[in-house]
Amino acid sequence: MTRPPGVTRPPLPWTLKLAVLVWLVVAVLFLVAAGSFLGSAQLQEQDRAGLVGLGVVLGVLALLQFVLVFRLRRGKRSARELLTTIGIIVGLPVLLRGTPGLSVVAVVMLLAIVPLWLPPSAEWFAKVDPKPENKYRRLIRRTLSPFKK
């Protein structure tokens, strides 16, 4: 859905600026961790497949986060929802497992979810990318509209 010409998008609220910055930091940290795991895999004979697999997963996750952060800046609600999902699905298990280096990243990732859902962010997304009306509510509204006073 594109905006008509001449309509400007409202400025990014401070909560989303903070969220974008934190998510970029998390993505960079995941890239560093992926490089570390891939480098360790080259030096070790045992557990090589596990380290390579973890390095690839973290690298793909970091690239996905980069893409979603840029979509978030453009005002896509789906990016906010996917970053929240990734933060919960990846952050909680890593935090509960207690891996020393990745636990810090998991805490930062879970904290990065909060500004995405604060009221200034929600209002901005409501203006920039409004939620489509539910088809059943639209049907009821159209059916009952002649009887409104």
Side-chain angles (χ1 to χ4, degrees), residues 7-86:
V7 176
T8 59
R9 185 175 63 169
L12 213 61
W14 68 271
T15 54
L16 280 179
K17 288 179 184 177
L18 175 68
V20 165
L21 178 68
V22 174
W23 278 108
L24 284 175
V25 168
V26 168
V28 168
L29 290 175
F30 272 152
L31 275 180
V32 169
S36 173
F37 283 121
L38 291 174
S40 295
Q42 295 299 321
L43 299 175
Q44 291 185 1
E45 290 297 321
Q46 61 185 14
D47 296 332
R48 180 176 288 187
L51 291 172
V52 169
L54 190 56
V56 169
V57 166
L58 288 177
V60 168
L61 188 63
L63 293 177
L64 178 64
Q65 286 178 357
F66 278 126
V67 169
L68 290 174
V69 164
F70 291 117
R71 287 182 51 90
L72 182 72
R73 285 187 54 106
R74 286 190 289 161
K76 301 294 182 185
R77 269 191 359 254
S78 61
R80 175 175 72 159
E81 294 160 0
L82 283 172
L83 282 171
T84 301
T85 304
I86 288 172

Side-chain angles (χ1 to χ4, degrees), residues 6 11 27-28 43 51 74 76 90 96 107 111 116 120 141 144:
V28 168
L43 299 175
L51 291 172
R74 286 190 289 161
K76 301 294 182 185
V90 173
L96 294 176
V107 168
L111 290 176
L116 293 175
R141 182 178 47 82
L144 297 178

Side-chain angles (χ1 to χ4, degrees), residues 130-145:
K131 210 175 211 180
E133 187 178 23
N134 184 323
K135 65 180 180 180
Y136 299 112
R137 287 185 185 191
R138 186 176 61 238
L139 178 66
I140 291 170
R141 182 178 47 82
R142 287 181 180 171
T143 304
L144 297 178
S145 63

